[in-house]
Amino acid sequence: MSGGSMDAGGWRRQRALLEYALGTFRRRGRRNLSMIVGLTFVVALYASVLLLTESLRHEWRATLDATPDLVVQRMVAGRPALIDADETFGVTDEPGVREIAPRVWGYLFVEAIGGNVTVVASQDAETRWASSLASGRNLRPAGEVPEALVGEALADRLGVRAGDRLAIPDAAGELRVLEIAGVFDHDSAMHSADVLVTTLAVARTLLAVPEAQATDIALTLARSEEAPAVARRVREALPGARVIERSALVRTYELTFDGRAGLLAVVLLPCLAAFLLLCWDRLTGLGEMERREIGILKAIGWETRDVLTARLWESATIAVGGVWIGYLLAYGYVYLLGAPGLAGALFGWSALHPTLELTPAARLEHLASLAGLVVLPFLGVSLIPAWRAATLDPDEAMR
Amino acid sequence: MHASALHRRIRRFAVALLALVVATAAVGFHAGWRRAQERASRANRRALVGALGFADLALSSSVRWIRHPSQIEPNAARSDLPGALDVDPAGALIGPPEEP
């Protein structure tokens, strides 16, 4: 017999076993359907966490290298305090230091919306904001009325549009009138939802930051590799200062996302374990009909291997179908619906939050992890009882 | 009759498989479209982050260390409300930053 005809024979055999296995969906439809639904649910839940976390990580990674190489905060009593705006830490002579920029930013609780607004002073009003505005224009440094740019969520919550005027209480409780020069666009909402950008003088007033002081100081270097050396000099010049290096942030964020996603996945593991236990319970208790069926198959000449292969087809159809549908549902849930419920539970209560429009970050490792966690254990719990029944004597199995 | 029943099963199986393949292709198309959108707006978002000075995501504005985990003091979960526990569930996703 040629190899080709053996292959054809093997294919015909597998097709016949698959047809037989598909027949079980009619005979044991309710049981198989309930297992597909259970698998789909578990996989959708687990995959949603994976997709959501991966997309947030992607979002953060895509913009991280636009941040300053070093940020210096003055610490008083172990907490960040205002820093002299003209502080240069004696590093101005360093050829690698490109810019030393005092920043004024902070939080302002706005009672009307019951939430914190992130107030950021604009360093240069002319150029840097225009590309991210959905409507309106850049800040004018010296307009008749002080101006502000606001995030999409903040504008929605306050009910303002570009050109409107807004009275907002400053840190001293006095109302300040601002004209909304522009509203940030939807694409930047993940970074700007709760942001109010205004001129340096207005930001100082809103946040009660005195003249000549700043929230922190950002250093931009010509080469990021020089950050540790410059950070060392800054610490020497200002003992006790907290110097945040961008490279340290990368490590911190990676660890944070990995750790927290892992924690969530671990929380879901009991759910998976409970489901597999349920499957084990259902499948080990082979019904009388099923035992008789296996007995008849063996009596008419089926080998143990054939019985197991048919069961493998049946279980693989359930497992792969459940994982496939579950992953597709997770995709729709996270990327089309914005993960309602899960996102709310993870991000917490917040008066201002962006519409979650994440960039899909499906990865092959997700499928590998799902196969390892769900498909293989499921095949295991379904094949072992079938193997037990298939090795019985046909006469005993039919009795 | 029996053979046609068997073929019907295979046909139904193939139709279900095809439906999944089509749904997967639609998801792939959607993902590609979204990624292209993201790439198109990335330069603008990077400019915004450069101007703001931090890349922290505005996921939760209710607690400072969750809004700007890269900037705000570590272990400050309790600093927003004296004596309060870390009641915000966002703490489950973003922990306090580690001291560099």
Side-chain angles (χ1 to χ4, degrees):
Chain A
M1 196 180 276
S2 72
S5 64
M6 275 184 70
D7 286 346
W11 160 241
R12 271 201 299 274
R13 182 191 182 86
Q14 290 302 323
R15 202 181 74 169
L17 290 171
L18 172 63
E19 282 171 343
Y20 173 79
L22 292 176
T24 61
F25 279 87
R26 192 166 164 199
R27 294 192 293 280
R28 297 188 284 274
R30 200 175 293 174
R31 190 189 74 180
N32 287 349
L33 189 68
S34 67
M35 281 194 281
I36 288 183
V37 169
L39 265 175
T40 301
F41 178 73
V42 172
V43 168
L45 207 57
Y46 184 71
S48 298
V49 174
L50 288 179
L51 291 173
L52 188 60
T53 316
E54 193 59 39
S55 289
L56 290 176
R57 188 186 277 133
H58 170 86
E59 197 68 38
W60 173 77
R61 276 181 188 154
T63 51
L64 179 72
D65 57 352
T67 59
D69 295 281
L70 294 171
V71 173
V72 185
Q73 296 175 340
R74 191 166 74 99
M75 303 295 281
V76 174
R79 310 195 50 186
L82 296 178
I83 192 167
D84 288 338
D86 57 0
E87 182 67 76
T88 57
F89 317 106
V91 295
T92 42
D93 57 326
E94 288 265 358
V97 178
R98 189 177 280 166
E99 186 187 11
I100 301 177
R103 306 191 302 187
V104 174
W105 66 277
Y107 306 102
L108 183 68
F109 183 76
V110 179
E111 208 164 337
I113 59 171
N116 283 322
V117 171
T118 302
V119 177
V120 179
S122 176
Q123 298 290 338
D124 50 354
E126 296 306 316
T127 55
R128 299 171 92 174
W129 310 105
S131 59
S132 300
L133 294 178
S135 60
R137 52 168 172 74
N138 263 331
L139 293 174
R140 277 191 304 229
E144 184 190 328
V145 177
E147 294 183 339
L149 306 171
V150 292
E152 189 188 44
L154 180 57
D156 281 350
R157 193 70 200 252
L158 291 169
V160 294
R161 289 182 299 184
D164 289 352
R165 290 193 176 179
L166 165 73
I168 194 166
D170 63 17
E174 281 184 38
L175 282 179
R176 302 280 166 185
V177 177
L178 301 175
E179 183 172 322
I180 306 301
V183 176
F184 289 114
D185 61 15
H186 191 65
D187 290 336
S188 67
M190 290 284 278
H191 293 99
S192 66
D194 64 339
V195 166
L196 183 148
V197 176
T198 184
T199 58
L200 185 59
V202 177
R204 284 187 189 285
T205 310
L206 290 176
L207 299 171
V209 175
E211 282 290 328
Q213 291 210 298
T215 309
D216 52 30
I217 293 183
L219 284 82
T220 306
L221 308 179
R223 283 162 40 86
S224 296
E225 295 81 10
E226 294 172 11
V230 177
R232 203 164 40 244
R233 283 198 61 183
V234 169
R235 285 194 191 99
E236 284 166 10
L238 195 66
R242 182 167 176 246
V243 186
I244 305 169
E245 291 178 43
R246 193 203 295 149
S247 58
L249 286 184
V250 175
R251 286 198 303 276
T252 304
Y253 260 95
E254 293 297 335
L255 283 171
T256 301
F257 279 119
D258 286 349
R260 298 299 163 171
L263 191 70
L264 280 166
V266 166
V267 169
L268 291 176
L269 274 183
C271 189
L272 176 66
F275 174 72
L276 289 174
L277 201 66
L278 194 70
C279 291
W280 173 262
D281 186 53
R282 295 285 299 155
L283 293 166
T284 43
L286 284 181
E288 196 183 329
M289 287 287 289
E290 211 171 336
R291 279 168 74 95
R292 184 171 298 198
E293 187 182 308
I294 290 174
I296 292 170
L297 290 175
K298 292 204 73 179
I300 61 171
W302 281 45
E303 293 172 15
T304 303
R305 195 183 61 171
D306 298 328
V307 175
L308 284 180
T309 308
R311 175 53 77 94
L312 187 67
W313 274 116
E314 182 188 347
S315 300
T317 306
I318 294 171
V320 173
V323 169
W324 201 341
I325 298 169
Y327 200 73
L328 290 176
L329 285 180
Y331 183 96
Y333 173 68
V334 173
Y335 298 121
L336 302 180
L337 302 180
L342 184 63
L346 290 179
F347 304 153
W349 174 84
S350 183
L352 300 164
H353 46 80
T355 316
L356 214 54
E357 276 196 16
L358 297 164
T359 306
R363 293 164 69 103
L364 272 179
E365 293 95 280
H366 293 168
L367 291 177
S369 125
L370 288 170
L373 273 169
V374 180
V375 178
L376 295 180
F378 182 78
L379 290 182
V381 300
S382 63
L383 281 183
I384 292 169
W387 174 76
R388 274 194 196 150
T391 49
L392 286 177
D393 184 64
D395 184 43
E396 194 185 337
M398 281 189 286
R399 220 177 294 150
Chain B
M1 183 70 185
H2 181 61
S4 76
L6 289 180
H7 287 308
R8 206 166 44 238
R9 279 180 209 152
I10 288 280
R11 254 204 318 275
R12 281 181 187 159
F13 180 68
V15 167
L17 205 62
L18 186 69
L20 280 176
V21 169
V22 168
T24 307
V27 158
F29 179 77
H30 179 263
W33 172 67
R34 271 278 180 90
R35 286 201 190 107
Q37 273 191 324
E38 190 267 343
R39 276 194 297 276
S41 69
R42 191 181 295 177
N44 290 346
R45 285 183 297 129
R46 283 169 54 82
L48 176 73
V49 165
L52 287 173
F54 19 74
D56 300 303
L57 305 177
L59 298 175
S60 174
S61 58
S62 51
V63 179
R64 289 176 293 152
W65 64 266
I66 295 169
R67 174 62 183 92
H68 291 106
S70 73
Q71 308 292 313
I72 299 306
E73 65 268 39
N75 309 316
R78 291 162 182 82
S79 70
D80 287 302
L81 188 63
L85 292 171
D86 172 18
V87 293
D88 199 306
L93 185 67
I94 301 174
E98 294 173 5
E99 190 74 67

